[in-house]
Amino acid sequence: MGLPSIIRPRKRNSNTPASEKHASTGPSTPTSRPDYQTGTDTIPPDTLRRVTKTRRIFALTASISYLISWVFLVLVLIGNTYPRAVLSDIYFFKLDLSDIIPLSVPNARLINSIAQSIGLHDFYQVGLWNFCEGYINEGITFCSKPETLYWFNPVEILMSELLAGATIALPTEIITILSILQISSQIMFGFFLTSAILTFLYIFLSPIATKSKWWSLPLSIGAFINMVLVLAASIVGTVISLVFKYAAEAQKELNIKSYVGTKMFVFMWLAAGFGIIGFAVHSGMGCCCVSRRDVTTGRRTLKPGGQGVERKEVQVR
């Protein structure tokens, strides 16, 4: 007797593949992507360059910033070292003693001529390594030998150039700040020289940051130290020049004029500015931009077609 069709068992389709049978009974698994796998498989070099392009651009920006900063630091270091057309215009400050006796004093011109005849020059200008002196009508006539940790001592220089027994009254403000001037000048010298060395090294070390974000940590620390050095040196140089200008012109009985070196100020602050840019770039690369290690270790997976990367997602079952 035939059973009704509603309770009659249906015949399984024997043509169903075994893989589909297991798939229907087991839990669903995500399908694999048609992209490059990280780890053991090889990622094409052109694909790796494409996905790390942003990081390479920032690393190149840092190198260029340090190159520009280094050029300006070199100009600061070699300024005023020799009596040449370009170098002689790069100085921290310049003392003008051509009319040290005010013209309101009787026979002022005669007294100024006598001062020159006993060894006093018209001007003295100070650089990082030495000082230069000369006359207004002749220009620079002599530059002292460059010295490590140099500092400008106006009393010693002026007294050594006057005849025996001759003397000159200097403003008391200048005498007061001589000890401070010595310490700060030597600190500035060491900071500028150290920063120039670090900046030169970072021109070639900056591209290392493209390999891994772990490299950004020591590079950022070194970039921070370099930034502090060049900033501190620029601040000290600015303060010394401005304070010396104020102290030299404070004594109204003497007609001493002082000028700050515009070119030196521009060069050292441009060097500091590009040093800040280099530090900012290295700090940013510590948390941003895909590195080569992110891709090769699987922290970032390539999107289909290798056109980009995304963070690796961890699935919890």
Side-chain angles (χ1 to χ4, degrees):
M1 179 174 125
L3 295 174
S5 60
I6 192 170
I7 63 173
R8 184 182 301 149
R10 296 183 180 180
K11 185 178 181 182
R12 290 182 179 270
N13 187 2
S14 58
N15 296 327
T16 303
S19 59
E20 293 186 8
K21 292 179 182 180
H22 293 291
S24 61
T25 58
S28 60
T29 56
T31 57
S32 59
R33 287 179 161 175
D35 57 355
Y36 299 107
Q37 299 296 322
T38 58
T40 58
D41 295 341
T42 303
I43 301 176
D46 57 339
T47 302
L48 193 59
R49 285 193 298 267
R50 182 166 57 252
V51 297
T52 59
K53 180 179 179 180
T54 303
R55 192 173 186 85
R56 288 188 291 107
I57 291 175
F58 277 109
L60 180 61
T61 301
S63 293
I64 295 176
S65 298
Y66 284 118
L67 175 61
I68 299 174
S69 179
W70 181 73
V71 170
F72 287 122
L73 283 174
V74 169
L75 291 175
V76 172
L77 291 175
I78 66 176
N80 201 68
T81 51
Y82 298 98
R84 296 178 182 176
V86 177
L87 300 182
S88 60
D89 294 333
I90 306 175
Y91 53 85
F92 286 103
F93 59 90
K94 180 178 182 179
L95 294 177
D96 186 354
L97 308 179
S98 57
D99 295 318
I100 191 171
I101 304 300
L103 295 180
S104 57
V105 177
N107 300 321
R109 295 187 181 278
L110 177 60
I111 298 176
N112 288 325
S113 299
I114 295 175
Q116 292 182 1
S117 64
I118 62 176
L120 193 65
H121 289 74
D122 286 346
F123 64 85
Y124 299 83
Q125 59 187 45
V126 181
L128 193 65
W129 296 80
N130 60 343
F131 79 96
C132 294
E133 61 187 10
Y135 300 99
I136 295 179
N137 296 331
E138 300 178 17
I140 295 177
T141 57
F142 171 77
C143 287
S144 64
K145 184 179 178 180
E147 299 179 14
T148 305
L149 299 176
Y150 172 79
W151 72 286
F152 180 69
N153 187 346
V155 176
E156 179 183 355
I157 293 172
L158 295 179
M159 293 300 101
S160 64
E161 293 188 347
L162 297 176
L163 295 176
T167 183
I168 184 172
L170 292 175
T172 55
E173 288 82 358
I174 293 182
I175 306 298
T176 303
I177 66 172
L178 283 182
S179 58
I180 302 176
L181 176 64
Q182 179 181 5
I183 297 174
S184 56
S185 296
Q186 292 176 348
I187 291 175
M188 177 184 64
F189 181 95
F191 281 8
F192 268 129
L193 188 60
T194 305
S195 178
I197 296 173
L198 285 176
T199 301
F200 178 77
L201 294 177
Y202 263 76
I203 297 174
F204 307 99
L205 292 178
S206 293
I208 298 178
T210 59
K211 295 184 178 180
S212 172
K213 291 181 180 179
W214 285 105
W215 279 105
S216 295
L217 178 60
L219 289 175
S220 298
I221 295 175
F224 176 76
I225 295 174
N226 177 70
M227 180 190 69
V228 171
L229 290 176
V230 67
L231 269 178
S234 299
I235 292 173
V236 171
T238 302
V239 172
I240 287 177
S241 301
L242 295 179
V243 169
F244 211 100
K245 174 180 173 63
Y246 169 78
E249 297 179 351
Q251 190 72 17
K252 300 302 180 182
E253 288 78 7
L254 295 176
N255 189 29
I256 300 178
K257 299 177 183 179
S258 181
Y259 307 95
V260 295
T262 304
K263 291 184 178 180
M264 180 70 83
F265 274 43
V266 172
F267 292 159
M268 66 183 181
W269 281 108
L270 282 176
F274 282 102
I276 294 174
I277 293 175
F279 166 69
V281 171
H282 278 295
S283 299
M285 286 193 294
C287 58
C288 304
C289 305
V290 179
S291 66
R292 296 170 61 93
R293 185 174 181 274
D294 289 339
V295 179
T296 56
T297 59
R299 294 184 59 189
R300 297 292 183 93
T301 57
L302 293 173
K303 292 181 178 180
Q307 297 300 322
V309 293
E310 62 180 7
R311 291 186 179 275
K312 184 178 180 180
E313 298 178 358
V314 178
Q315 297 180 353
V316 180
R317 296 184 180 180

